[in-house]
């Protein structure tokens, strides 16, 4: 019931946003005679409309259009729906080529129209009763957009807006937007010198700079350590393979558009690997495997390449080359539930360790086209839900959303500003073991098909770093911070003591720098804050005389008169326990 | 003088080997009337001759040919040199098409011939005075070889032989050969389940199995730790880049034949990277760099792909995809000597840590075609030799053998059977900084060109593993061993104590397994020895009662009545100190 109510509320909001698009179109019609109208749908949080206008829009146009919209809203114009015969509609839109194109594609003899004030649109609706129902809105931006998204068709001008039921909701949304922009990993990635992407080398290909690479390496080391502890073996496999292998697997057929290559070597075609599984299968098949060896859990930080249109690439979160924290588990079907439960435990442990408090779990079931038998799907799906229940994991069913080769569990975690990130995924595969004849010798000496699980717990190193940057606004937990401590000598005469301190901390494995450039202490502190270094150790006459330090946290918190060994104890604990907060003392 | 004498001795040996090839040809002529002769040179350790014969050779032919050779040697036939006019020679070799082809390519009007007994060959010599001087020889194998190495020309039959000055040297050589075959990393790699290469995925592409991957991971972790300690930053870069980038760098022009690709993405050509340097330069150039930041030392375990003909591929030691332990140092020219000295120290430390006692160092100087100025070369070459002298590193000059872009130091280390492996390399580069305009702002505010060093210390993970396997015959030092300890319960009733012991060791980070399959103790010990596990812990009634263990080393050494904590102490020390030998007790 709760869910139904939520859905109702959401539908009402989207209707209002759609109507706001029409109101914006009416305002544009009034301000730009001769405007041609394309489409104007509701989208997440708001709406847009695409226009062909006599001149390019400039930011100053937005307040004018906003004022005009407010007028229309104040007049509380009724939204009227009516139907017209196709030919009648074509006459009505005689000077609107985009509408004419749309009408031609409607199969029915009658088309649906909506009118408010002087503006009539081709539209299925629904809409609000009258324009007065449009509450809080704001026009955000102007963008270019090809008609129908096709680069060979005309470039139109799009205006984006957002709309909410109350002014307060709108303002909260705008604040979140601002906060998100502040946390944008592309912006912070540059400011904190974490990574870069070079158009001259290729879009969507990430270079990890020293500081970003520290974060990645610490995560990878932790990841490997946890996997080994949980009975995984780490393996390495090549980045290319003959195209024939991807034909046998079915990837060539199903994912052709995402594959990099082919390239020719000695008369044979090679592809960059879009996933690691085939190589894991090849290794599995180098020996006859006994039931005694199973489960085999093989993990790889495997870099894969998948083509994505340059238009959809986005910083680290949508790239063309990425390193999956991949693993494949080969087991008996009877072991499936235990294995899935263990993966779930690992996945939730990871989400928790990295400081994400909230997550959603979905179990996707059999789609219309599928490999394996209905019975296999039913059993595997049941197994997945039993494993979820065993781990007290609340989940929703996503009916028909499984991949063609098997049911799956997807976990999305939420960041500090409420956005959901694609995280762990656990997929059962009925397809590859069959295509590659992946078997083991059972206790009775007979050959049996293995159960195969694909899984990642972080997703990819690239996207996961994006989520971390945005979740923490670049202020990483101490154990992940590229530089954990900066020692700031108040004057040059304190440099020697500062160096000695730094050496001591370095010996304890702490990443420490000394601010030895000639600048004021305040400048050095500001610099360290900009770089979001967790701890600043201020060293002046008093500290040097007393052989102590003053510790300052990146949030401004400060504690004086701490002995170096006490500080070393505190920070070592904070790092070892992977604490997400900052502590100055025990 | 010593060197001259060695050279003389070597030349005499090669002359004798060359003459042995002629004697073999005479024997083949006698046994296979109608044989056609191609070429028969001396090679390292021996000789070969390529023939076109009326039927395929079989191994049983070798003793027959050997007997015939012995006859010829016993008759002590004189080797006579004479010269013939080109046309005369062509008549002489009228039924020898390969010789005719060779004669046609000799520019001189007279050609040199050698005759012993009934066999005359087109040959520059020199040769022994008479066949009796050929001392100890052995025919080793038969192989196919294309005429002139060209797969479009006829396939000939090649017989390989070795020859030495004494029977004893020959026998020692054959023993070394046998030992090398026993240590062959391709054979051991399969037996120890370390890696595999799959024709269906692509020749020269290595899959690291769990056990091989442990060795690699331990090496990589150690490598990273040592680099960080020595002021390097670790970075990560993509495996592909636009072809244009490789055109700017000159790789397209100079290394076209080795490049993988192109493959097309959105109308642009991409290549797999054959080296990591360009991406390091792109990262360098994301900021204006000050002299204060230099030196920057950026290290990457970067997997690169280079095309090699399938015929030359060899296990892990010659592959198409390999992970370089790469680094680039960007520094001021004044810092070059210190940097090179530090790299040398690291390189020699690595060679020593991995247990290689012997190595050779070469300094390669300016070739005929070169980038940069003569003065730059002279200074850089002087800098390299000063750095070598500072590190007390004896070296030879390899005149003109530098790469076109700068002088370099190459270090080869010798394995336990005396073979040399390509190891560390340190190269100065005058080319890329210029082509990509890689600069820094000097103390005086002016822009200066950086000095750039390319270096690896292990070479590649693949080739280095090959050298380790062959050096240790698969019996890795404890710190590298995939499984360090195997606990062997004498009977099933000791399994519980065995598991407890294993758990304790595992908690200390030791890689331990329990031999829990139902088999006799002797079988388990044999199995552990085959797998070259360093330590076996034998657990029987006596050990369980006394809460002790009996430790057995993989070489057969044994010690009883050791407490578990004492053993843990010993092995932890052996691992932490990266000892190459085995100790059972302190």
């Amino acid at each position: 019931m709760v869910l139904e109510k939520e859905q109702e509320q959401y539908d009402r909001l989207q209707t209002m946003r759609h109507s706001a698009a029409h109101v914006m179109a009416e305002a544009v019609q009034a301000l730009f005679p001769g405007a041609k109208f394309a489409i104007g749908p509701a989208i997440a949080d708001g709406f847009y409309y695409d226009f062909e206008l006599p001149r390019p829009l400039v930011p100053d146009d937005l307040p004018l259009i906003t004022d005009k919209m407010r007028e229309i809203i104040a007049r509380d114009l009724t939204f009227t729906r009516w139907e017209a015969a196709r030919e009648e509609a074509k006459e009505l839109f005689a000077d609107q080529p985009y509408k004419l194109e749309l009408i031609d594609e409607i199969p029915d003899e009658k088309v649906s129209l909506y009118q408010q004030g002087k503006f009539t649109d081709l539209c299925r609706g629904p809409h609000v009763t009258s324009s007065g129902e449009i509450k809080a809105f704001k026009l955000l931006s102007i963008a270019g957009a090809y008609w129908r998204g096709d680069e060979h068709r005309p470039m139109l001008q799009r205006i984006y807006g957002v709309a909410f039921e109350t002014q307060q909701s709108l303002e909260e949304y705008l604040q979140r937007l601002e906060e998100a922009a502040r946390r944008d990993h592309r912006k912070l990635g540059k400011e904190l010198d974490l990574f870069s992407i070079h158009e001259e080398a290729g879009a969507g290909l990430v270079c990890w700079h020293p500081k970003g690479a520290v974060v990645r390496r610490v995560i990878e080391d932790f990841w490997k350590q946890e996997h080994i502890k949980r009975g995984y073996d780490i393996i390495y496999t090549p980045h290319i393979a003959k195209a024939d292998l991807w034909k046998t697997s079915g990837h060539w057929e199903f994912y052709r558009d995402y594959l990099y290559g082919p390239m020719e070597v000695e008369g044979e075609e090679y592809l960059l690997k879009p996933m690691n599984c085939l190589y894991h299968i090849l290794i599995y098949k180098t020996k006859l495997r006994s039931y005694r060896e199973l489960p085999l859990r093989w993990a790889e930080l495997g870099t894969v390449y998948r083509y994505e249109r340059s238009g959809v690439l986005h910083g680290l979160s949508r790239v063309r080359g990425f390193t999956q924290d991949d693993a494949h588990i080969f087991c008996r079907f009877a072991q499936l539930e235990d294995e899935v439960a263990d993966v779930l435990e690992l996945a939730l442990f990871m989400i928790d360790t990295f400081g994400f408090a909230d997550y959603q779990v979905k179990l996707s079931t059999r789609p219309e086209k599928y490999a394996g038998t209905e019975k296999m799907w039913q059993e595997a799906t049941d197994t997945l839900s039993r494993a979820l229940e065993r781990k007290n994991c609340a989940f929703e069913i996503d009916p028909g959303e499984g991949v063609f080769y098997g049911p799956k569990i997807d976990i999305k975690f939420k960041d500090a500003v409420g956005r959901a990130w694609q995280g762990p995924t656990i997929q059962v595969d009925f397809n590859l073991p069959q295509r590659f004849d992946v078997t083991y010798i059972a206790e009775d000496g007979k050959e049996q098909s293995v159960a195969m699980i694909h899984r990642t717990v972080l997703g990819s190193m690239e996207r996961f770093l994006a989520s971390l940057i945005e979740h923490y606004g670049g202020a990483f937990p101490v154990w992940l911070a590229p530089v954990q401590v900066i020692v700031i000598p108040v004057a040059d005469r304190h440099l020697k003591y500062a160096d000695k301190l730094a050496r001591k901390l370095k010996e304890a494995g702490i990443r420490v720098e000394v601010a030895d450039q000639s600048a004021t202490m305040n400048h050095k502190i500001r610099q360290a804050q900009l770089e979001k270094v967790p701890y600043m150790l201020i060293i002046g006459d008093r500290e040097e005389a007393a052989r102590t330090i003053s510790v300052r946290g990146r949030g401004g918190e400060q504690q004086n008169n701490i002995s170096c060994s006490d500080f070393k104890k505190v920070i070592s604990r904070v790092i070892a326990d992977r604490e997400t907060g900052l502590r100055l003392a025990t």
Side-chain angles (χ1 to χ4, degrees), chain A:
Chain A
M1 275 315 287
V2 174
L3 220 73
E4 254 173 54
K5 218 169 155 188
E6 267 174 22
Q7 185 64 42
E8 233 171 68
Q9 199 177 357
Y10 177 77
D11 289 347
R12 209 165 51 234
L13 203 50
Q14 290 306 94
T15 300
M16 193 255 276
R17 286 164 178 161
H18 187 180
S19 300
H22 280 225
V23 168
M24 177 166 73
E26 187 180 353
V28 167
Q29 188 184 43
L31 293 166
F32 296 86
K36 312 287 181 219
F37 298 88
I39 55 162
I43 53 174
D45 310 317
F47 58 91
Y48 70 80
Y49 213 114
D50 288 348
F51 312 102
E52 185 188 313
L53 299 176
R55 67 159 174 85
L57 291 168
V58 292
D60 282 348
D61 289 322
L62 294 185
L64 300 178
I65 299 169
T66 302
D67 286 348
K68 185 57 84 179
M69 286 174 72
R70 286 201 207 292
E71 261 180 61
I72 296 167
I73 290 166
R75 280 158 58 205
D76 199 18
L77 299 171
T78 307
F79 274 73
T80 316
R81 178 180 183 277
W82 51 288
E83 289 189 349
R86 173 193 300 277
E87 288 312 312
E88 192 187 344
K90 285 174 88 162
E91 253 169 63
L92 192 66
F93 291 109
D95 59 346
Q96 290 290 341
Y98 304 108
K99 298 294 174 190
L100 289 175
E101 194 176 324
L102 294 172
I103 292 169
D104 278 340
E105 287 169 13
I106 297 172
D108 315 320
E109 263 320 296
K110 297 213 158 206
V111 301
S112 166
L113 302 170
Y114 269 88
Q115 182 176 8
Q116 90 275 9
K118 287 185 194 141
F119 180 75
T120 303
D121 208 346
L122 180 73
C123 180
R124 277 214 189 80
H127 278 282
V128 294
T129 313
S130 67
S131 60
E133 289 174 37
I134 297 165
K135 303 296 183 194
F137 77 93
K138 185 176 169 68
L139 302 188
L140 287 187
S141 59
I142 304 159
Y146 290 109
W147 168 234
R148 318 209 105 170
D150 180 347
E151 56 188 333
H152 304 295
R153 309 295 307 270
M155 168 69 92
L156 306 172
Q157 301 193 69
R158 175 176 295 177
I159 301 176
Y160 282 106
V162 289
F164 288 86
E165 280 192 326
T166 64
Q167 191 60 28
Q168 194 192 332
S169 312
L170 173 62
E171 268 157 28
E172 281 167 11
Y173 174 82
L174 292 174
Q175 259 168 29
R176 279 206 306 279
L177 213 62
E178 213 176 289
E179 182 58 33
R182 242 199 322 272
R183 291 164 180 260
D184 188 320
H185 73 272
R186 295 167 304 175
K187 178 178 151 282
L188 285 171
K190 203 173 153 65
E191 284 171 16
L192 300 174
D193 201 9
L194 301 175
F195 68 92
S196 58
I197 294 169
H198 301 260
E199 273 304 322
E200 65 265 47
L205 302 173
V206 181
C207 290
W208 295 69
H209 292 203
K211 286 186 177 163
V214 167
V215 185
R216 173 167 169 179
R217 185 172 49 75
V218 172
I219 295 175
E220 288 185 347
D221 286 348
F222 168 58
W223 184 93
K224 282 186 257 185
Q225 179 192 317
E226 278 304 319
H227 278 75
I228 291 166
K229 202 191 279 177
R230 291 162 196 258
Y232 285 79
D233 288 308
I234 313 286
I235 61 177
Y236 304 80
T237 69
H239 301 93
I240 56 172
K242 284 186 188 167
D244 279 347
L245 206 60
W246 309 104
K247 287 175 184 165
T248 308
S249 69
H251 288 98
W252 181 271
E253 190 185 340
F254 290 108
Y255 299 109
R256 182 68 199 93
D257 290 346
Y258 295 98
L259 297 176
Y260 261 86
M263 55 195 149
E264 208 216 279
V265 179
E266 289 185 353
E268 298 218 58
E269 291 190 329
Y270 284 71
L271 300 174
L272 274 166
K273 69 174 169 184
M275 33 195 74
N276 304 301
C277 32
L278 294 206
Y279 270 117
H280 293 206
I281 288 177
L282 288 185
I283 295 178
Y284 183 96
K285 283 170 69 75
T286 53
K287 291 210 287 184
L288 200 64
R289 304 285 176 180
S290 148
Y291 70 96
R292 277 197 215 91
E293 289 175 73
L294 304 185
L296 287 169
R297 306 181 194 96
W298 289 346
E300 177 172 18
L301 291 163
T303 307
V304 297
Y305 290 84
R306 295 183 194 167
Y307 172 70
E308 301 259 14
R309 280 182 303 111
S310 51
V312 303
L313 298 174
H314 183 86
L316 295 176
S317 60
R318 194 89 178 257
V319 290
R320 285 179 174 168
F322 52 98
T323 300
Q324 289 186 311
D325 67 309
D326 207 359
H328 295 95
I329 300 171
F330 300 92
C331 63
R332 293 181 275 156
F333 278 92
Q335 296 169 320
L336 206 49
E337 186 181 328
D338 282 352
E339 290 303 314
V340 172
D342 284 353
V343 175
L344 276 173
E345 184 166 300
L346 172 59
L348 299 181
F349 166 74
M350 285 283 178
I351 289 176
D352 180 55
T353 303
F354 285 99
F356 297 99
D358 199 9
Y359 59 88
Q360 300 161 333
V361 184
K362 284 200 176 164
L363 169 57
S364 300
T365 60
R366 182 163 53 81
E368 278 184 30
K369 245 188 92 184
Y370 58 91
T373 65
E374 217 170 306
K375 185 163 168 275
M376 286 164 85
W377 274 84
Q378 194 52 54
E379 283 175 6
T381 310
D382 288 349
T383 305
L384 292 184
S385 37
R386 274 201 309 276
L388 283 162
E389 277 154 17
R390 244 170 74 179
K391 292 289 146 192
N392 293 317
C393 224
F395 65 98
E396 281 175 52
I397 300 277
D398 220 350
E401 287 301 310
V403 214
F404 79 92
Y405 51 73
K408 63 169 180 164
I409 294 169
D410 283 312
I411 304 182
K412 285 188 177 176
F413 53 83
K414 279 198 180 162
D415 70 13
V417 270
R419 282 158 314 169
W421 295 80
Q422 176 61 48
T425 178
I426 309 170
Q427 310 180 339
V428 179
D429 190 334
F430 302 130
N431 177 51
L432 290 180
Q434 193 192 338
R435 283 189 184 241
F436 284 92
D437 196 21
V438 188
T439 61
Y440 67 95
I441 303 302
E443 224 163 337
D444 60 5
K446 288 198 185 121
E447 205 173 347
Q448 294 284 354
S449 199
V450 299
M452 180 175 181
I453 300 171
H454 306 255
R455 45 112 289 183
T456 68
V457 296
L458 306 177
S460 81
M461 300 313 296
E462 286 73 13
R463 194 176 56 206
F464 193 68
L465 185 71
S467 75
L468 280 179
I469 295 172
E470 304 210 350
H471 184 54
Y472 289 107
F476 295 107
V478 183
W479 69 287
L480 294 171
V483 178
Q484 295 169 320
V485 175
I486 190 149
V487 185
I488 301 180
V490 174
D492 281 354
R493 65 178 175 281
H494 309 117
L495 205 55
K496 212 174 138 191
Y497 181 45
D499 279 335
K500 199 179 145 196
L501 264 173
R503 225 173 16 253
K504 262 196 193 159
L505 293 170
K506 215 172 262 179
E507 275 162 17
I510 292 159
R511 296 185 289 275
V512 55
E513 282 185 0
V514 176
D516 55 3
Q517 77 278 33
S518 49
T520 65
M521 186 182 73
N522 281 338
H523 175 86
K524 289 175 184 174
I525 290 177
R526 209 163 47 243
Q527 196 56 35
Q529 276 168 335
L530 281 176
E531 291 174 14
K532 301 181 196 286
V533 177
Y535 295 103
M536 290 161 248
L537 307 189
I538 320 281
I539 306 292
D541 287 334
R542 200 180 43 174
E543 285 82 5
E544 186 162 356
R547 298 274 126 182
T548 60
I549 47 181
S550 294
V551 185
R552 201 182 151 106
R554 67 184 149 203
E557 56 275 53
Q558 183 149 351
Q559 190 146 350
N560 301 334
N561 279 320
I562 298 185
S563 78
C564 178
S565 69
D566 274 356
F567 174 70
K568 208 167 79 178
K569 247 181 248 164
V570 171
I571 187 173
S572 297
R573 197 72 262 155
V574 169
I575 292 169
D577 292 349
R578 301 187 187 88
E579 294 181 22
T580 51
L582 214 61
R583 280 195 289 133
L584 301 193
T586 42

